[in-house]
Amino acid sequence: RSYSRTERRLGTTATTDMARRSMKERYLIAYNVIQACGWAYVLVHATQHAWEFHQQPTRARGGAQLQSSPYDIVRDFVVTFQVASFAEVAHSMLGITRSPVGAALMQWCGRTHVLMCALDAVGALHGTVAATALVIAWALTEVVRYPSYALGLYSQCPSWLNWLRYTIFIPLYPLGAGAEMKLMYDARAFARKANMYSFSMPNAFNFAFDYVTFLNGLLIVYPFLFYSLYSYMFTQRKKKLGHVTSVKKQQ
């Protein structure tokens, strides 16, 4: 009887664990599919309008625009899906995924700051090449990353997609980081003129903050932060694709 009760208890525990795992996998698949669809929309519409928009005469783009910029067209989707990606930081913190919390948080904070505080807040930057490059670089990265995560949950990720996931970042991460730095650099003039996000003493908190100074400091350390993330991705690439390289060498 004792053995029977123990067996039933173990069986119940195993069933509960399987149910929890199934719920977690369904949630992660839904999350990754939704993100992939959102960024696919961004990619299609941004690239569709990018060439035509940036071929407009500079005078037209600086004054009465012939059409909305690629960023303006996809702005709501970019903001929604980028801000919502904070879920990935929460996933890491809660142990739902095995991604390092520091790397996930650093990438989310860096992207969201550039998007909301620099690009979105300064209308004059919406029509720049840097804004378009940023949106397309992010979208290209995510339409590969999210499907590979979703399929990987069931060990069904094709080898070509896995290879693309850990290769496409090589050109796209520097492109995205360069666009981010350009947007922050260009945002400084507007931030200085509008005294954006800045406050001086005296105040109730006895604390002063100058956003332009913050941007200057961030632009100095940004290459080092980028190098840290970029190096991490190369380490991941070696782990994920190392066996593929070894097999090819043996052949």
Side-chain angles (χ1 to χ4, degrees):
R1 292 179 182 177
S2 177
Y3 176 79
S4 180
R5 285 197 298 269
T6 302
E7 192 175 52
R8 286 198 299 270
R9 192 182 305 114
L10 290 173
T12 302
T13 302
T15 302
T16 303
D17 289 343
M18 288 179 64
R20 288 176 179 172
R21 181 181 176 185
S22 179
M23 288 179 61
K24 182 181 78 171
E25 287 180 346
R26 285 198 295 267
Y27 160 72
L28 288 174
I29 288 172
Y31 170 80
N32 285 292
V33 168
I34 291 170
Q35 282 279 9
C37 290
W39 285 106
Y41 176 94
V42 170
L43 180 61
V44 169
H45 286 79
T47 53
Q48 180 180 350
H49 292 86
W51 176 259
E52 184 180 352
F53 177 79
H54 289 292
Q55 288 303 303
Q56 294 179 130
T58 304
R59 179 177 54 80
R61 284 191 274 115
Q65 292 185 347
L66 301 180
Q67 62 179 22
S68 298
S69 71
Y71 174 75
D72 289 323
I73 290 170
V74 298
R75 182 261 177 197
D76 291 345
F77 276 77
V78 174
V79 170
T80 298
F81 287 97
Q82 171 54 37
V83 173
S85 68
F86 183 78
E88 293 162 42
V89 180
H91 296 165
S92 182
M93 293 175 65
L94 296 173
I96 297 175
T97 61
R98 291 178 293 179
S99 301
V101 178
L105 182 61
M106 182 173 68
Q107 186 172 32
W108 185 86
C109 288
R111 276 189 169 194
T112 305
H113 165 257
V114 172
L115 177 63
M116 301 304 300
C117 298
L119 172 55
D120 198 64
V122 183
L125 298 180
H126 292 191
T128 61
V129 174
T132 301
L134 178 78
V135 168
I136 292 177
W138 285 5
L140 275 171
T141 301
E142 306 303 34
V143 297
V144 172
R145 185 168 72 97
Y146 286 115
S148 70
Y149 284 166
L151 293 170
L153 288 167
Y154 285 119
S155 301
Q156 296 296 322
C157 184
S159 58
W160 65 265
L161 182 58
N162 189 55
W163 178 86
L164 193 59
R165 162 72 182 101
Y166 291 100
T167 303
I168 199 171
F169 79 90
I170 296 174
L172 292 182
Y173 272 31
L175 176 62
E180 291 168 17
M181 292 186 68
K182 182 66 165 65
L183 290 166
M184 287 190 290
Y185 181 87
D186 291 343
R188 296 178 312 149
F190 180 87
R192 184 179 295 108
K193 183 178 180 180
N195 202 31
M196 192 165 64
Y197 311 129
S198 301
F199 50 91
S200 57
M201 296 176 60
N203 56 62
F205 299 100
N206 196 33
F207 177 78
F209 177 76
D210 181 67
Y211 185 59
V212 175
T213 302
F214 170 77
L215 284 178
N216 289 335
L218 187 57
L219 285 168
I220 292 173
V221 301
Y222 216 74
F224 301 99
L225 298 175
F226 166 74
Y227 177 77
S228 174
L229 181 61
Y230 204 45
S231 299
Y232 168 75
M233 285 303 301
F234 272 103
T235 300
Q236 290 298 103
R237 185 177 194 272
K238 186 176 181 180
K239 288 180 181 178
K240 300 294 183 179
L241 303 182
H243 68 285
V244 176
T245 304
S246 298
V247 170
K248 287 183 177 180
K249 285 183 177 179
Q250 290 175 4
Q251 293 175 346

